[in-house]
């Protein structure tokens, strides 16, 4: 069964360093998303991406964050200068379409720890 | 602004019991309501998706219902098993593709 894959599963980085989280969405999907979940809190939307552009972003997704689809398969989230509060589980998701009856599929997540 | 709430936050039941998890949302203008399962430290597994035009969806021992007018969805789990122990999340999609999640209900099924 097709699945969304994320790498690495766990990343430890020093405050101020840049990190890139990688995702391979399901191959025929056109819409891509990043979410994050701080320990003990709700899963929060960060950004959606379609046709090589950001469709929507949340208040969390400030100038420190960027997304890219560098080739036909990967979808990346870059955090330019990590802060302690960026420590969270980051989930990538993809969907075939948007709107009625569109199911989102999530990856297993990357646990980011900023020290 | 859409807000999603799940009650209870935690639930412990003996094996074999039928149970209901609740999800409420403030904005009834949703397109889909999706239920997920999350095991500790793991990703989100999609369980069921209900379109706004539907009232329920079933998959095996799971049945999800949707009442847009009251802003509620329920996930019914029949004949619970220890393997059902996990956190169950509901999420509302208002047609932008952005999912708004509840905080989840952590279920423990005791053998």
């Amino acid at each position: 069964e097709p699945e969304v894959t994320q790498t690495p599963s766990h990343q430890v980085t020093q405050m101020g360093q840049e990190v890139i989280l990688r995702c391979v969405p399901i191959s025929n999907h056109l819409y891509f998303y990043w979410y994050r979940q701080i320990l003990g809190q709700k899963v929060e939307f960060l950004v959606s991406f379609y046709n090589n552009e950001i469709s929507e972003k949340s208040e969390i997704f400030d100038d420190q964050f960027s997304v890219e689809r560098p080739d036909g398969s990967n979808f990346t989230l870059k955090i330019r200068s990590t802060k302690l509060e960026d420590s969270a589980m980051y989930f990538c998701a993809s969907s075939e379409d948007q709107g009625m009856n569109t199911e989102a599929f999530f990856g297993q997540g990357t646990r980011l720890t900023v020290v | 602004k859409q807000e999603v709430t799940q009650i209870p936050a935690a639930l412990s039941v003996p094996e074999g019991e039928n149970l209901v998890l609740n999800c409420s949302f403030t904005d009834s203008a949703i397109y889909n309501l999706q239920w997920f399962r999350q095991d500790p430290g793991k990703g989100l597994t999609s369980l069921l998706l209900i379109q706004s035009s539907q009232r329920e969806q079933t998959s095996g021992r799971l049945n999800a219902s949707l009442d847009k007018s009251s802003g509620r969805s329920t996930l019914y789990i029949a004949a619970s098993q220890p393997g059902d122990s996990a956190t169950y999340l509901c999420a509302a999609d208002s047609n932008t593709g952005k999912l708004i999640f509840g905080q989840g209900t952590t279920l423990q099924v005791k053998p």
Side-chain angles (χ1 to χ4, degrees), chain B residues 69-85:
Chain B
S69 60
S70 67
R72 289 184 174 184
S73 176
T74 61
L75 180 67
Y76 174 83
I77 303 177
S80 58
Q81 302 169 359
D84 294 331
S85 299

Side-chain angles (χ1 to χ4, degrees), chain A:
Chain A
E1 185 174 321
E3 58 181 15
V4 177
T5 57
Q6 290 186 243
T7 54
S9 56
H10 191 191
Q11 170 106 37
V12 181
T13 189
Q14 292 209 325
M15 193 168 51
Q17 294 296 303
E18 174 184 287
V19 294
I20 297 176
L21 310 183
R22 301 180 193 280
C23 169
V24 179
I26 294 173
S27 62
N28 64 332
H29 285 188
L30 300 177
Y31 295 82
F32 314 113
Y33 311 88
W34 284 100
Y35 291 80
R36 80 171 185 190
Q37 185 179 33
I38 294 171
L39 189 64
Q41 297 188 23
K42 289 186 179 185
V43 176
E44 302 173 286
F45 169 81
L46 292 178
V47 66
S48 58
F49 191 85
Y50 169 71
N51 200 26
N52 280 320
E53 288 185 344
I54 290 175
S55 314
E56 187 174 357
K57 60 183 181 179
S58 71
E59 304 168 342
I60 305 166
F61 195 89
D62 61 22
D63 292 345
Q64 294 298 315
F65 291 88
S66 62
V67 289
E68 193 178 32
R69 188 152 162 84
D71 53 41
S73 58
N74 290 286
F75 178 52
T76 61
L77 174 69
K78 182 192 292 186
I79 308 175
R80 192 171 4 171
S81 177
T82 49
K83 308 185 191 80
L84 294 176
E85 54 264 37
D86 293 327
S87 295
M89 186 77 121
Y90 287 80
F91 294 109
C92 174
S94 69
S95 63
E96 198 171 350
D97 202 344
Q98 275 189 349
M100 201 77 75
N101 204 30
T102 298
E103 191 170 1
F105 295 88
F106 282 70
Q108 291 299 299
T110 293
R111 180 169 299 285
L112 177 65
T113 303
V114 183
V115 296

Side-chain angles (χ1 to χ4, degrees), chain B residues 3-109:
Chain B
E3 293 198 6
V4 179
T5 305
Q6 292 184 249
I7 295 173
L11 183 62
S12 180
V13 300
E15 183 177 3
E17 200 163 286
N18 302 325
L19 59 102
V20 174
L21 307 180
N22 297 295
C23 172
S24 60
F25 46 93
T26 54
D27 184 354
S28 62
I30 64 168
Y31 267 54
N32 304 301
L33 194 292
Q34 198 166 350
W35 282 92
F36 294 88
R37 170 184 172 136
Q38 184 177 30
D39 291 286
K42 302 292 185 184
L44 307 178
T45 301
S46 180
L47 297 173
L48 287 164
L49 176 126
I50 317 178
Q51 296 177 47
S52 62
S53 58
Q54 297 174 319
R55 291 195 65 85
E56 64 178 71
Q57 278 281 13
T58 299
S59 176
R61 293 183 293 109
L62 305 180
N63 176 277
S65 69
L66 176 64
D67 183 346
K68 278 183 59 176
S69 60
S70 67
R72 289 184 174 184
S73 176
T74 61
L75 180 67
Y76 174 83
I77 303 177
S80 58
Q81 302 169 359
D84 294 331
S85 299
T87 296
Y88 291 82
L89 302 171
C90 68
D93 172 8
S94 302
N95 192 35
T96 65
K98 175 175 78 175
L99 292 174
I100 305 297
F101 282 83
Q103 68 271 45
T105 295
T106 299
L107 172 66
Q108 182 185 33
V109 181

